[in-house]
Amino acid sequence: MIIPGLGIIISIVTFPGIMVHEFAHQIFCRILRIPVFQVVYFRVGNPCGYVEHESSEDPWKVFLTSTGPFFINTLLGLLILTPVAIPIIRFREYLNPLNLFLAWVGFSILMHAFPSTGDAKNMVTQILKNPNVGILPKILLSPVIGLIYVGAVGSIFWLDLIYATAVAMLIPNLLTMV
């Protein structure tokens, strides 16, 4: 059952992840020398954040700027959560306020790793529907665009929460086995 307004509440609670998501878009734009016009890291509304930037004819630049948050959010979320999760897994210091704060920040960041449907739409427009893009990038990137749509639609069914939970639990558990 979908509760009206629940998405906004979750966005407010997990705002650090939205901010990092938008910052990741901005970082990739800067690295790839794509001019950025406006950045909104967080707001209460739909979308909760966005980066307006110049479009690119280079399919790989479009791909990287669209999927950048997946890589940045996953890596940063893991870097924050792993040192916190290991003592929690070993049943020590699970009520330490700093650990709880870092766990919330890391988990929030992981929850917003998936590119949005807006990111997927940009890839469709600038890659798949662009007559100037060759067939090879279209063939290679089509499955990725499909996965982005699955992830975005899957957020209705808590796929982003499942992803964050799996990543937050898997890596620290693997590290504690060593």
Side-chain angles (χ1 to χ4, degrees):
M1 178 166 89
I2 299 172
I3 302 168
L6 184 60
I8 293 296
I9 293 168
I10 291 170
S11 295
I12 292 169
V13 171
T14 61
F15 75 91
I18 295 169
M19 295 175 72
V20 171
H21 180 103
E22 301 310 332
F23 188 62
H25 282 305
Q26 185 181 19
I27 287 172
F28 274 85
C29 284
R30 298 284 189 220
I31 289 170
L32 299 169
R33 299 179 191 259
I34 298 172
V36 173
F37 306 125
Q38 182 179 16
V39 179
V40 174
Y41 293 109
F42 181 76
R43 70 186 182 113
V44 177
N46 189 12
C48 291
Y50 58 89
V51 176
E52 289 181 8
H53 58 83
E54 191 172 275
S55 60
S56 175
E57 289 292 317
D58 183 337
W60 302 109
K61 285 184 177 183
V62 174
F63 170 75
L64 289 172
T65 56
S66 296
T67 59
F70 178 77
F71 303 108
I72 298 289
N73 282 49
T74 300
L75 181 62
L76 186 59
L78 276 174
L79 285 173
I80 293 170
L81 262 176
T82 299
V84 172
I86 290 172
I88 290 173
I89 289 168
R90 293 184 178 163
F91 301 107
R92 294 189 320 241
E93 301 184 30
Y94 60 92
L95 291 179
N96 177 324
L98 179 59
N99 280 354
L100 292 173
F101 174 76
L102 291 174
W104 164 68
V105 170
F107 198 81
S108 297
I109 291 169
L110 284 172
M111 275 200 61
H112 292 280
F114 288 167
S116 66
T117 53
D119 298 326
K121 287 177 186 174
N122 285 340
M123 291 177 74
V124 167
T125 302
Q126 295 178 12
I127 297 172
L128 298 183
K129 292 184 177 179
N130 187 342
N132 298 326
V133 173
I135 191 70
L136 184 60
K138 289 179 181 182
I139 290 170
L140 292 175
L141 296 177
S142 290
V144 175
I145 295 169
L147 286 173
I148 291 170
Y149 272 114
V150 167
V153 172
S155 68
I156 295 170
F157 305 104
W158 300 95
L159 187 58
D160 44 4
L161 176 67
I162 293 166
Y163 174 79
T165 303
V167 171
M169 293 175 74
L170 179 66
I171 302 301
N173 274 310
L174 289 174
L175 291 173
T176 58
M177 294 173 66
V178 180

